[in-house]
Amino acid sequence: MILYIHGFASCGWGAKSLALRQFFGIHQVIAPDLPFRPNAAVRRLEGLLRRYPVSALVGASLGAFYATWLNQDKRLPTVLINPVVRPHEKLAAHTGRQARWCDQMPFEVSQDWLVELAALQRPSTDGAERYLVLLQKGDEVLDYREAAAFYRDQTLAIEDGGDHRFAGFADHLERIAGWLGVPAAG
């Protein structure tokens, strides 16, 4: 079973999670809407890992950050899509009222929120962790080179062009399946 972790102000029911469900099977992918606060999101993810037989993680942007944090204990094979590194620094310019894109539910990014994110930042990954890091140079939100440097000892797939949402994600599902060793739905 795959746990998909969405990004900042996103939802579990988005284009990437739908593509994963279609490819791997609807019952093989868990994709929850996460609480807005970082600590609450991590607690929710930890609870899902205790409850379900998750064998792999897939995280996008802030979801990739959460997946990396979870892997300090879980050591699950993980696919990261345009991951953010040091989100507390990146989101400092976005404090105040925000809205989740899928349903316009409001939430607040506060200094306390940024402190929670900073506490989840790991200094590095270690040799026991296994990541496939998908990066697109055309990411208009994040500089792909930061993630490439942070995950330099992992499997990196860097493409020209693209965007932060990771254009052409569905075209990578065969590669993801092979790397994870998880079959497509029959």
PDB file of all heavy atoms in Angstrom, residues 98-119:
ATOM      1  N   GLN A  98      -4.524  31.949   4.355  1.00  0.00           N
ATOM      2  CA  GLN A  98      -4.377  31.177   3.117  1.00  0.00           C
ATOM      3  C   GLN A  98      -5.680  30.420   2.885  1.00  0.00           C
ATOM      4  O   GLN A  98      -6.537  30.360   3.765  1.00  0.00           O
ATOM      5  CB  GLN A  98      -3.226  30.166   3.249  1.00  0.00           C
ATOM      6  CG  GLN A  98      -1.894  30.767   3.604  1.00  0.00           C
ATOM      7  CD  GLN A  98      -1.297  31.563   2.473  1.00  0.00           C
ATOM      8  OE1 GLN A  98      -1.515  31.260   1.311  1.00  0.00           O
ATOM      9  NE2 GLN A  98      -0.552  32.597   2.806  1.00  0.00           N
ATOM     10  N   ALA A  99      -5.806  29.811   1.717  1.00  0.00           N
ATOM     11  CA  ALA A  99      -6.970  28.974   1.427  1.00  0.00           C
ATOM     12  C   ALA A  99      -6.503  27.726   0.704  1.00  0.00           C
ATOM     13  O   ALA A  99      -5.639  27.797  -0.174  1.00  0.00           O
ATOM     14  CB  ALA A  99      -7.994  29.723   0.582  1.00  0.00           C
ATOM     15  N   ARG A 100      -7.067  26.590   1.106  1.00  0.00           N
ATOM     16  CA  ARG A 100      -6.749  25.338   0.430  1.00  0.00           C
ATOM     17  C   ARG A 100      -7.377  25.386  -0.961  1.00  0.00           C
ATOM     18  O   ARG A 100      -8.535  25.770  -1.113  1.00  0.00           O
ATOM     19  CB  ARG A 100      -7.288  24.169   1.260  1.00  0.00           C
ATOM     20  CG  ARG A 100      -6.820  22.828   0.771  1.00  0.00           C
ATOM     21  CD  ARG A 100      -7.049  21.750   1.780  1.00  0.00           C
ATOM     22  NE  ARG A 100      -8.473  21.613   2.112  1.00  0.00           N
ATOM     23  CZ  ARG A 100      -8.924  20.821   3.068  1.00  0.00           C
ATOM     24  NH1 ARG A 100      -8.096  20.101   3.796  1.00  0.00           N
ATOM     25  NH2 ARG A 100     -10.208  20.743   3.317  1.00  0.00           N
ATOM     26  N   TRP A 101      -6.618  25.004  -1.981  1.00  0.00           N
ATOM     27  CA  TRP A 101      -7.070  25.189  -3.369  1.00  0.00           C
ATOM     28  C   TRP A 101      -8.285  24.349  -3.733  1.00  0.00           C
ATOM     29  O   TRP A 101      -9.102  24.755  -4.544  1.00  0.00           O
ATOM     30  CB  TRP A 101      -5.931  24.939  -4.351  1.00  0.00           C
ATOM     31  CG  TRP A 101      -5.514  23.494  -4.454  1.00  0.00           C
ATOM     32  CD1 TRP A 101      -4.507  22.886  -3.773  1.00  0.00           C
ATOM     33  CD2 TRP A 101      -6.108  22.481  -5.264  1.00  0.00           C
ATOM     34  NE1 TRP A 101      -4.434  21.559  -4.095  1.00  0.00           N
ATOM     35  CE2 TRP A 101      -5.407  21.284  -5.020  1.00  0.00           C
ATOM     36  CE3 TRP A 101      -7.161  22.450  -6.177  1.00  0.00           C
ATOM     37  CZ2 TRP A 101      -5.727  20.077  -5.637  1.00  0.00           C
ATOM     38  CZ3 TRP A 101      -7.475  21.244  -6.795  1.00  0.00           C
ATOM     39  CH2 TRP A 101      -6.765  20.085  -6.523  1.00  0.00           C
ATOM     40  N   CYS A 102      -8.447  23.149  -3.163  1.00  0.00           N
ATOM     41  CA  CYS A 102      -9.512  22.247  -3.609  1.00  0.00           C
ATOM     42  C   CYS A 102     -10.894  22.660  -3.120  1.00  0.00           C
ATOM     43  O   CYS A 102     -11.887  22.382  -3.786  1.00  0.00           O
ATOM     44  CB  CYS A 102      -9.210  20.816  -3.191  1.00  0.00           C
ATOM     45  SG  CYS A 102      -9.111  20.612  -1.410  1.00  0.00           S
ATOM     46  N   ASP A 103     -10.961  23.319  -1.959  1.00  0.00           N
ATOM     47  CA  ASP A 103     -12.269  23.668  -1.408  1.00  0.00           C
ATOM     48  C   ASP A 103     -12.313  25.064  -0.783  1.00  0.00           C
ATOM     49  O   ASP A 103     -13.308  25.444  -0.195  1.00  0.00           O
ATOM     50  CB  ASP A 103     -12.706  22.629  -0.377  1.00  0.00           C
ATOM     51  CG  ASP A 103     -11.724  22.507   0.786  1.00  0.00           C
ATOM     52  OD1 ASP A 103     -10.758  23.301   0.880  1.00  0.00           O
ATOM     53  OD2 ASP A 103     -11.918  21.593   1.606  1.00  0.00           O
ATOM     54  N   GLN A 104     -11.228  25.795  -0.936  1.00  0.00           N
ATOM     55  CA  GLN A 104     -11.129  27.165  -0.406  1.00  0.00           C
ATOM     56  C   GLN A 104     -11.251  27.246   1.116  1.00  0.00           C
ATOM     57  O   GLN A 104     -11.540  28.309   1.661  1.00  0.00           O
ATOM     58  CB  GLN A 104     -12.154  28.099  -1.077  1.00  0.00           C
ATOM     59  CG  GLN A 104     -11.933  28.247  -2.564  1.00  0.00           C
ATOM     60  CD  GLN A 104     -10.517  28.698  -2.898  1.00  0.00           C
ATOM     61  OE1 GLN A 104     -10.063  29.727  -2.430  1.00  0.00           O
ATOM     62  NE2 GLN A 104      -9.804  27.916  -3.689  1.00  0.00           N
ATOM     63  N   MET A 105     -11.027  26.122   1.826  1.00  0.00           N
ATOM     64  CA  MET A 105     -11.062  26.147   3.283  1.00  0.00           C
ATOM     65  C   MET A 105      -9.927  27.054   3.776  1.00  0.00           C
ATOM     66  O   MET A 105      -8.779  26.883   3.404  1.00  0.00           O
ATOM     67  CB  MET A 105     -10.908  24.752   3.872  1.00  0.00           C
ATOM     68  CG  MET A 105     -10.983  24.753   5.399  1.00  0.00           C
ATOM     69  SD  MET A 105     -10.861  23.104   6.097  1.00  0.00           S
ATOM     70  CE  MET A 105     -12.485  22.489   5.695  1.00  0.00           C
ATOM     71  N   PRO A 106     -10.260  28.043   4.614  1.00  0.00           N
ATOM     72  CA  PRO A 106      -9.223  28.969   5.076  1.00  0.00           C
ATOM     73  C   PRO A 106      -8.354  28.363   6.180  1.00  0.00           C
ATOM     74  O   PRO A 106      -8.799  27.512   6.947  1.00  0.00           O
ATOM     75  CB  PRO A 106     -10.024  30.153   5.615  1.00  0.00           C
ATOM     76  CG  PRO A 106     -11.323  29.557   6.034  1.00  0.00           C
ATOM     77  CD  PRO A 106     -11.582  28.405   5.094  1.00  0.00           C
ATOM     78  N   PHE A 107      -7.114  28.816   6.225  1.00  0.00           N
ATOM     79  CA  PHE A 107      -6.213  28.480   7.317  1.00  0.00           C
ATOM     80  C   PHE A 107      -5.186  29.594   7.445  1.00  0.00           C
ATOM     81  O   PHE A 107      -5.056  30.440   6.570  1.00  0.00           O
ATOM     82  CB  PHE A 107      -5.550  27.107   7.114  1.00  0.00           C
ATOM     83  CG  PHE A 107      -4.593  27.020   5.956  1.00  0.00           C
ATOM     84  CD1 PHE A 107      -3.221  27.099   6.155  1.00  0.00           C
ATOM     85  CD2 PHE A 107      -5.057  26.839   4.661  1.00  0.00           C
ATOM     86  CE1 PHE A 107      -2.338  27.002   5.087  1.00  0.00           C
ATOM     87  CE2 PHE A 107      -4.190  26.734   3.592  1.00  0.00           C
ATOM     88  CZ  PHE A 107      -2.821  26.818   3.805  1.00  0.00           C
ATOM     89  N   GLU A 108      -4.488  29.584   8.552  1.00  0.00           N
ATOM     90  CA  GLU A 108      -3.556  30.650   8.874  1.00  0.00           C
ATOM     91  C   GLU A 108      -2.140  30.102   8.966  1.00  0.00           C
ATOM     92  O   GLU A 108      -1.905  29.091   9.629  1.00  0.00           O
ATOM     93  CB  GLU A 108      -3.957  31.271  10.222  1.00  0.00           C
ATOM     94  CG  GLU A 108      -3.192  32.491  10.615  1.00  0.00           C
ATOM     95  CD  GLU A 108      -3.767  33.754  10.005  1.00  0.00           C
ATOM     96  OE1 GLU A 108      -4.905  33.733   9.511  1.00  0.00           O
ATOM     97  OE2 GLU A 108      -3.055  34.773  10.025  1.00  0.00           O
ATOM     98  N   VAL A 109      -1.215  30.760   8.306  1.00  0.00           N
ATOM     99  CA  VAL A 109       0.205  30.454   8.471  1.00  0.00           C
ATOM    100  C   VAL A 109       0.759  31.510   9.424  1.00  0.00           C
ATOM    101  O   VAL A 109       0.785  32.699   9.104  1.00  0.00           O
ATOM    102  CB  VAL A 109       0.967  30.483   7.124  1.00  0.00           C
ATOM    103  CG1 VAL A 109       2.461  30.305   7.356  1.00  0.00           C
ATOM    104  CG2 VAL A 109       0.445  29.398   6.194  1.00  0.00           C
ATOM    105  N   SER A 110       1.158  31.059  10.617  1.00  0.00           N
ATOM    106  CA  SER A 110       1.640  31.962  11.662  1.00  0.00           C
ATOM    107  C   SER A 110       3.114  31.670  11.968  1.00  0.00           C
ATOM    108  O   SER A 110       3.679  30.694  11.468  1.00  0.00           O
ATOM    109  CB  SER A 110       0.808  31.751  12.934  1.00  0.00           C
ATOM    110  OG  SER A 110       1.030  30.428  13.415  1.00  0.00           O
ATOM    111  N   GLN A 111       3.683  32.482  12.802  1.00  0.00           N
ATOM    112  CA  GLN A 111       5.062  32.234  13.230  1.00  0.00           C
ATOM    113  C   GLN A 111       5.157  30.899  13.971  1.00  0.00           C
ATOM    114  O   GLN A 111       6.142  30.173  13.805  1.00  0.00           O
ATOM    115  CB  GLN A 111       5.572  33.384  14.110  1.00  0.00           C
ATOM    116  CG  GLN A 111       5.831  34.661  13.339  1.00  0.00           C
ATOM    117  CD  GLN A 111       6.832  34.472  12.209  1.00  0.00           C
ATOM    118  OE1 GLN A 111       7.881  33.847  12.355  1.00  0.00           O
ATOM    119  NE2 GLN A 111       6.506  35.009  11.049  1.00  0.00           N
ATOM    120  N   ASP A 112       4.158  30.557  14.766  1.00  0.00           N
ATOM    121  CA  ASP A 112       4.147  29.266  15.457  1.00  0.00           C
ATOM    122  C   ASP A 112       4.151  28.112  14.448  1.00  0.00           C
ATOM    123  O   ASP A 112       4.792  27.085  14.662  1.00  0.00           O
ATOM    124  CB  ASP A 112       2.921  29.129  16.367  1.00  0.00           C
ATOM    125  CG  ASP A 112       2.986  30.031  17.577  1.00  0.00           C
ATOM    126  OD1 ASP A 112       4.086  30.538  17.885  1.00  0.00           O
ATOM    127  OD2 ASP A 112       1.943  30.226  18.212  1.00  0.00           O
ATOM    128  N   TRP A 113       3.426  28.282  13.369  1.00  0.00           N
ATOM    129  CA  TRP A 113       3.361  27.290  12.288  1.00  0.00           C
ATOM    130  C   TRP A 113       4.756  27.089  11.710  1.00  0.00           C
ATOM    131  O   TRP A 113       5.203  25.967  11.490  1.00  0.00           O
ATOM    132  CB  TRP A 113       2.388  27.834  11.247  1.00  0.00           C
ATOM    133  CG  TRP A 113       1.778  26.894  10.286  1.00  0.00           C
ATOM    134  CD1 TRP A 113       0.595  26.224  10.444  1.00  0.00           C
ATOM    135  CD2 TRP A 113       2.259  26.538   8.996  1.00  0.00           C
ATOM    136  NE1 TRP A 113       0.327  25.486   9.322  1.00  0.00           N
ATOM    137  CE2 TRP A 113       1.331  25.663   8.420  1.00  0.00           C
ATOM    138  CE3 TRP A 113       3.390  26.884   8.271  1.00  0.00           C
ATOM    139  CZ2 TRP A 113       1.495  25.118   7.151  1.00  0.00           C
ATOM    140  CZ3 TRP A 113       3.570  26.347   7.002  1.00  0.00           C
ATOM    141  CH2 TRP A 113       2.621  25.476   6.469  1.00  0.00           C
ATOM    142  N   LEU A 114       5.466  28.197  11.472  1.00  0.00           N
ATOM    143  CA  LEU A 114       6.824  28.125  10.921  1.00  0.00           C
ATOM    144  C   LEU A 114       7.792  27.463  11.903  1.00  0.00           C
ATOM    145  O   LEU A 114       8.672  26.706  11.490  1.00  0.00           O
ATOM    146  CB  LEU A 114       7.316  29.522  10.544  1.00  0.00           C
ATOM    147  CG  LEU A 114       6.500  30.239   9.462  1.00  0.00           C
ATOM    148  CD1 LEU A 114       6.999  31.667   9.288  1.00  0.00           C
ATOM    149  CD2 LEU A 114       6.520  29.480   8.145  1.00  0.00           C
ATOM    150  N   VAL A 115       7.606  27.718  13.196  1.00  0.00           N
ATOM    151  CA  VAL A 115       8.445  27.079  14.223  1.00  0.00           C
ATOM    152  C   VAL A 115       8.232  25.564  14.202  1.00  0.00           C
ATOM    153  O   VAL A 115       9.190  24.792  14.319  1.00  0.00           O
ATOM    154  CB  VAL A 115       8.153  27.687  15.615  1.00  0.00           C
ATOM    155  CG1 VAL A 115       8.774  26.860  16.721  1.00  0.00           C
ATOM    156  CG2 VAL A 115       8.641  29.126  15.669  1.00  0.00           C
ATOM    157  N   GLU A 116       6.985  25.130  14.049  1.00  0.00           N
ATOM    158  CA  GLU A 116       6.708  23.690  13.956  1.00  0.00           C
ATOM    159  C   GLU A 116       7.438  23.083  12.753  1.00  0.00           C
ATOM    160  O   GLU A 116       8.022  22.002  12.857  1.00  0.00           O
ATOM    161  CB  GLU A 116       5.204  23.436  13.833  1.00  0.00           C
ATOM    162  CG  GLU A 116       4.440  23.672  15.114  1.00  0.00           C
ATOM    163  CD  GLU A 116       2.952  23.388  14.972  1.00  0.00           C
ATOM    164  OE1 GLU A 116       2.548  22.648  14.043  1.00  0.00           O
ATOM    165  OE2 GLU A 116       2.183  23.912  15.800  1.00  0.00           O
ATOM    166  N   LEU A 117       7.382  23.762  11.610  1.00  0.00           N
ATOM    167  CA  LEU A 117       8.089  23.261  10.427  1.00  0.00           C
ATOM    168  C   LEU A 117       9.590  23.200  10.665  1.00  0.00           C
ATOM    169  O   LEU A 117      10.243  22.217  10.291  1.00  0.00           O
ATOM    170  CB  LEU A 117       7.816  24.152   9.213  1.00  0.00           C
ATOM    171  CG  LEU A 117       6.540  23.929   8.446  1.00  0.00           C
ATOM    172  CD1 LEU A 117       6.456  24.917   7.290  1.00  0.00           C
ATOM    173  CD2 LEU A 117       6.427  22.512   7.937  1.00  0.00           C
ATOM    174  N   ALA A 118      10.152  24.237  11.253  1.00  0.00           N
ATOM    175  CA  ALA A 118      11.601  24.273  11.498  1.00  0.00           C
ATOM    176  C   ALA A 118      12.035  23.101  12.380  1.00  0.00           C
ATOM    177  O   ALA A 118      13.097  22.517  12.166  1.00  0.00           O
ATOM    178  CB  ALA A 118      11.996  25.603  12.136  1.00  0.00           C
ATOM    179  N   ALA A 119      11.203  22.742  13.341  1.00  0.00           N
ATOM    180  CA  ALA A 119      11.538  21.633  14.244  1.00  0.00           C
ATOM    181  C   ALA A 119      11.524  20.289  13.517  1.00  0.00           C
ATOM    182  O   ALA A 119      12.164  19.337  13.969  1.00  0.00           O
ATOM    183  CB  ALA A 119      10.567  21.601  15.420  1.00  0.00           C
TER     184      ALA A 119
END
